[in-house]
Amino acid sequence: MVGPARAGHRRAARRLLTTLAGATAGILLTGLVAPPARAGSGAGEPLGTVARTVGHAHYQPGHCPRTAEPAPGLNGARCGTLTVPEDRRRPEGRKITLGVATVPAAHRTADDPIVWLAGGPGDDAVSEIQLALDGNLNRDRDVIFMSQRGTYSADPALTCPDIDEFNARALAVRYDARSTGRRHVGATRACHDELEARGVDLGAYNSTESAADYADLRLALGVEQWNVFGISYGTDLALLYMRLHPKGIRSVGVDGVLPPSLAGGAVTWKAAREGFDGLFDACAEQPACDARYPDLKGTFERLVVQLEDDPVTTTVPVPGRPEPAEIVLDGGALVNWLVSATHVAAGVPRSIDELAHGKPQRIAEQWAGGKLSPQAVGRLSHGLAYGVFCSEWTPFESRAEVIRAGHRAFPSFPRSVVANAPMLAFLHPDCRAWDVPAADDPVRDVTYSDVPTLVLSGGFDAQTAPSSGAYAARTLSRSTALTIPYVAHVVFADSPCAQSITRSFFDTPTAPDKGCLAGLKPPAFEIAP
């Protein structure tokens, strides 16, 4: 999960921290001629190669979608576009197209494919192909990737690069300052106005419409039954999808769980508390880490208070830029740095200790890198992000509730810090500027289902609370809920054990093999001289 002023989700943060540094398809009315069949069953052509129209949705084979960076996994993929109404209440109105790529199974042993639901909101599933393939998700089954509406390989793409460029400039000012908030909202309003001027119906970009897009995709591809795998915000979408469109779903995996009934700023404070404590406790349990960095939790919280009162300004080198960048670290910036830095947990104690001893450069470089990277500009769909935030989240949660949740999680933090939930800075005023209607109340309903479901959380996950996985599993009667220790947000990305469990789950959804959990060990934390 990310806020509208953030550069992508877990993948972007991890990449940076580890380095430290379409036209609408023509309608071919072939649909309804071929009834849905199991993919790869021999009943028809390979999945993704047949044009089909079902209702107001049309799938057309064609070129593979564009991606934000090279995607070797697209080699050999079967690609095309899904064309659907922008607003299903007006099905004869404006149409949008969504990029689709089907990656064949490496060694097919099953006919039911997996469909991948990307995070964000606003990330593009097609650009996440390598993440899925690196975990061998396509070992036994075809895996389908479709760009959610408004994302990078969709048409229209609601990316608003000016917001990303503002985020880079804002590194030189206080994260939590009211003046920063005014500029933040100004950038949001400019994005809103630019998209409206292009004729985009901003109220049509949300989870309910996206869920319907996936229901249409299954039918338009001719798939009788498939499996769903959602990461981060994709878990919110997956839980809504299985509630609204349960037909044809064999099993569901959710990783980094954000239940629709909890989504918002308050739960992100809970997530930060749980993820930070998981990391701090792991350090305390290692004698060398505890001896070198005693009371890491207390040190971090004191630094947040100190920096909010008296920010530190430093300069750091930026790869590819001739001049160093000026970076301001206040309390809010430090909190948000740690949310992402849990992905490189081994170095966190050393980074906090250096900051406490007057050396902020290591944290400043990590904090700045993602926003100053060229890859941070123009890849996140702010139009979809705000569509979700402002119709499905903020109408159901007041700013006061966010502040109370922040104080519960971190009683020592100043109000200016807890007013901006992690990765969701200035969200309520942003949503007033975005000005889309609130979703109907049922969007926040709990999902009850007997579809076999794998619920994965990470012990270091500071973006979606590990406890949210258990919360979601309570009403999923055939679920397996697991917390993978010592791993941050989206465990499938970083944990071979989580990858193994996920593949096993799709083979036997009611009895996945969890044996690898017994051998997991905490990271070896860096010990400075």
Side-chain angles (χ1 to χ4, degrees):
M1 177 184 63
V2 299
R6 301 294 163 263
H9 76 309
R10 182 220 59 81
R11 185 188 65 248
R14 177 171 176 266
R15 179 176 59 247
L16 178 46
L17 289 164
T18 52
T19 59
L20 296 182
T24 300
I27 302 299
L28 303 180
L29 297 178
T30 60
L32 306 185
V33 174
R38 286 185 178 271
S41 65
E45 298 299 320
L47 179 61
T49 61
V50 176
R52 183 180 281 105
T53 297
V54 179
H56 294 283
H58 175 75
Y59 176 77
Q60 178 66 40
H63 296 295
C64 285
R66 65 174 189 151
T67 56
E69 55 193 40
L74 275 176
N75 295 332
R78 301 185 290 268
C79 298
T81 55
L82 182 75
T83 300
V84 294
E86 183 178 51
D87 183 348
R88 286 180 170 79
R89 295 171 301 179
R90 294 185 288 275
E92 303 302 332
R94 177 182 167 120
K95 301 297 191 295
I96 61 175
T97 60
L98 313 176
V100 181
T102 300
V103 177
H107 306 285
R108 182 190 301 284
T109 61
D111 291 334
D112 43 275
I114 299 169
V115 61
W116 176 279
L117 306 189
D123 285 351
D124 183 8
V126 179
S127 293
E128 293 181 351
I129 281 180
Q130 209 57 45
L131 174 62
L133 300 192
D134 286 348
N136 295 317
L137 194 64
N138 69 320
R139 184 190 65 182
D140 306 319
R141 290 169 168 79
D142 292 355
V143 183
I144 303 164
F145 302 84
M146 181 174 75
S147 53
Q148 293 168 28
R149 52 177 51 211
T151 59
Y152 186 86
S153 62
D155 183 12
L158 313 183
T159 52
C160 288
D162 287 351
I163 288 184
D164 304 317
E165 292 166 357
F166 165 78
N167 294 335
R169 295 192 302 272
L171 290 166
V173 299
R174 293 192 58 160
Y175 181 87
D176 290 323
R178 291 183 179 180
S179 57
T180 305
R182 289 191 292 271
R183 294 169 60 193
H184 198 290
V185 174
T188 301
R189 183 176 292 109
C191 174
H192 170 279
D193 294 348
E194 187 267 329
L195 294 177
E196 275 206 336
R198 287 165 48 189
V200 175
D201 179 0
L202 296 177
Y205 291 80
N206 54 57
S207 302
T208 299
E209 290 284 359
S210 288
D213 293 338
Y214 282 100
D216 282 346
L217 176 66
R218 183 181 67 82
L219 296 175
L221 288 177
V223 175
E224 178 184 346
Q225 188 178 60
W226 66 8
N227 308 276
V228 178
F229 189 61
I231 63 169
S232 192
Y233 159 73
T235 68
D236 178 325
L237 178 56
L239 290 166
L240 183 69
Y241 170 57
M242 66 192 292
R243 179 163 61 81
L244 297 181
H245 306 281
K247 187 174 182 180
I249 299 178
R250 171 180 176 265
S251 69
V252 176
V254 286
D255 179 356
V257 184
L258 183 69
S261 55
L262 298 182
V267 76
T268 64
W269 278 120
K270 183 177 177 63
R273 177 79 280 170
E274 293 181 20
F276 294 174
D277 283 353
L279 193 158
F280 296 148
D281 290 347
C283 174
E285 291 165 5
Q286 289 188 18
C289 189
D290 189 45
R292 180 62 181 83
Y293 311 112
D295 191 23
L296 187 64
K297 174 179 175 179
T299 300
F300 171 75
E301 294 188 7
R302 285 192 296 273
L303 284 169
V304 171
V305 175
Q306 176 185 319
L307 289 175
E308 191 67 3
D309 182 60
D310 185 18
V312 168
T313 300
T314 188
T315 57
V316 298
V318 179
R321 294 197 178 202
E323 300 295 331
E326 182 175 281
I327 308 299
V328 174
L329 292 177
D330 64 2
L334 186 61
V335 169
N336 282 268
W337 161 78
L338 185 53
V339 168
S340 292
T342 53
H343 289 284
V344 285
V348 164
R350 180 175 181 176
S351 296
I352 292 173
D353 183 70
E354 288 184 0
L355 178 62
H357 289 87
K359 294 185 286 186
Q361 287 76 18
R362 183 175 165 108
I363 287 178
E365 286 182 15
Q366 295 177 358
W367 172 237
K371 299 175 182 62
L372 295 176
S373 167
Q375 287 76 29
V377 177
R379 63 187 298 160
L380 179 74
S381 172
H382 296 283
L384 177 58
Y386 280 125
V388 171
F389 295 151
C390 303
S391 67
E392 299 169 16
W393 295 12
T394 59
F396 302 93
E397 175 184 72
S398 70
R399 188 165 178 264
E401 289 173 312
V402 175
I403 292 171
R404 285 196 294 271
H407 280 312
R408 281 195 302 271
F410 298 93
S412 67
F413 285 5
R415 179 185 172 91
S416 57
V417 173
V418 298
N420 284 310
M423 312 195 79
L424 296 170
F426 307 107
L427 186 56
H428 277 79
D430 277 337
C431 281
R432 287 194 291 273
W434 202 250
D435 191 27
V436 292
D440 293 336
D441 289 351
V443 78
R444 304 285 292 191
D445 284 353
V446 171
T447 296
Y448 290 84
S449 177
D450 62 359
V451 172
T453 306
L454 177 65
V455 182
L456 293 174
S457 301
F460 289 175
D461 188 350
Q463 292 177 247
T464 55
S467 62
S468 291
Y471 169 90
R474 293 182 314 167
T475 55
L476 304 172
S477 62
R478 300 171 72 196
S479 62
T480 301
L482 302 171
T483 295
I484 311 298
Y486 318 125
V487 188
H489 187 54
V490 183
V491 296
F492 185 87
D494 291 325
S495 169
C497 180
Q499 295 166 1
S500 173
I501 292 170
T502 301
R503 294 190 301 266
S504 170
F505 167 77
F506 287 124
D507 288 341
T508 55
T510 57
D513 183 352
K514 302 171 285 185
C516 61
L517 290 171
L520 298 180
K521 297 180 180 180
F525 291 100
E526 294 179 23
I527 306 300

